[in-house]
Amino acid sequence: AAAGSGPAGTFLGFMAEGTLLFRRGEYDKALGCFDNALKLRAADKHCLVARSKCYLKLGDTENSLKDAEASLQSDKTFSKGLYQKAETLYTMGDFEFALVFYHRGNRLRPELQKFRLGIEKSQEAIINCIGSPSSVKLESKEDLCFISRQAEVKKANQKLPIKLPKECTRKQKTVRNPKTERQLLGELYADKAYLEKLLKDKDLMESSTKQGIKVADLVLSGISYLDARSEFWQQQKPIYARVRERKLRQQRWIRDKKQKPAEVGRYIVKSMEDIDMLLSGDAPEESCKKAERVLKTIQGWSDDEVPNKNELIGNLYSCIGNAQLEMGHLEAALQSHKMDLECARQSNLPDAVSRALDNIGRVYARMGKFQQAVDTWEEKIPMAKSSLEKTWLFHEIGQCYLELNKAEAAQNYGQKSLQSADEEGDVEWQLHATVLVAQAQVKLKNYQPAIMNFEKALEKAKLIHDEAAQKAII
């Protein structure tokens, strides 16, 4: 910045530093970085959300809400701003208003799990406070506006395949691994262990309190509550799965390295974290440039210096492709993901092949090349590991067939998606799959079965309180 025009540094520099400090838990220092960034680029909505998160961590809910609302000034549909406003309202105890904004975000971005989880936790809090959420009404005028746009949003979502994070497993069973539970529950883990120990005391379990309540019931309700918390935190904040993966990759990359392995490892891990941080911080151009620089560096190293070099190069091409897709450079993104696929096949890495095929299919669908997207995703089907992964994969293939006016194939994949969604027990995906089947049946002029499936979908939408979906289905 020029002298006197603002703090010394760049906007992206302050943003990157602030994000890193926030992740380390140094919220005061991060706040200072975001303050400086906003002096250079006033009213930047991404920076306002970042500063709002800092205020919330520091307990300043008033300023957190002001920043969240300011981030929505220029764009009422900004999903990160809606989520931050909802989170702040939830923290303040305004559960009904938080529910409104979680719903609003969920209508705009139905593929994001965090909004669904927000709806669930707000409803749970309201029930705990007043007994039933049935009296909560959404703000009529603005919400009707969102509902009326649902068909348009839905159409857009059909063309843009949903990329679910690998960590996203919506109906997870309660974790029984003691190490994982200890991480999830923190200080409460000792309480759970104590309660489970009490269960073994038969005499104590058969006794009652002065008020006539069975001790066994008290202990079991305590364990049940802590199990519920484990499940909630596992959904809300997965146990640093990506960090662990990075550490494992680092170990593989440097396991045979004899000269300065620690330095190579540190460089690789730090670089991958920076690339990921820039992309998640809405700076795809910077992320892409950084990944390209690291790729050039790695390519200049020998195989002795970096064992599994091919795996690392493929991973960098994947990062570059994701950044290019964010920027709208579709042809470039396609080439990058194809390079990732080539590296994965050369090194015989099934998970990396699956990742690359997934990304190539996404790019083709974004281009409107639906047949190529179908061919790519159908190759990935045998690699899908979970029911949830199969559910969305079949759904996206079915949507492509619908776009290609191949209604029979669309119906078949819709039914496959529904079967996997039933296995997973995920109502949200049962709804999407049933709607797909019904849409295919309309194109096939099978109107009676289509009506029956739309009615089933309507029941699912009511079950999850998705008023926008109800309106669209009706």
Side-chain angles (χ1 to χ4, degrees), residues 341-368:
L341 182 61
E342 194 180 315
C343 292
R345 283 182 170 152
Q346 281 176 7
S347 302
N348 193 24
L349 300 165
D351 287 347
V353 170
S354 181
R355 171 190 70 201
L357 289 171
D358 180 13
N359 287 324
I360 290 167
R362 279 200 303 146
V363 179
Y364 275 135
R366 183 78 69 88
M367 289 173 158

Side-chain angles (χ1 to χ4, degrees), residues 113-129:
Q113 188 200 10
K114 62 185 182 181
F115 285 117
R116 294 202 296 272
L117 194 63
I119 290 168
E120 287 171 16
K121 70 182 182 184
S122 298
Q123 286 173 342
E124 183 186 330
I126 292 164
I127 291 166
N128 288 341
C129 293

Side-chain angles (χ1 to χ4, degrees), residues 14 105 109 149 177 193 204 217 222 250 266 289 342 358 399 452:
F14 283 128
R109 298 293 302 276
R149 289 212 299 269
N177 183 314
L204 180 63
D217 290 342
Q250 178 195 353
R266 272 198 297 273
K289 285 175 188 171
E342 194 180 315
D358 180 13
Q399 287 287 9
M452 287 172 65

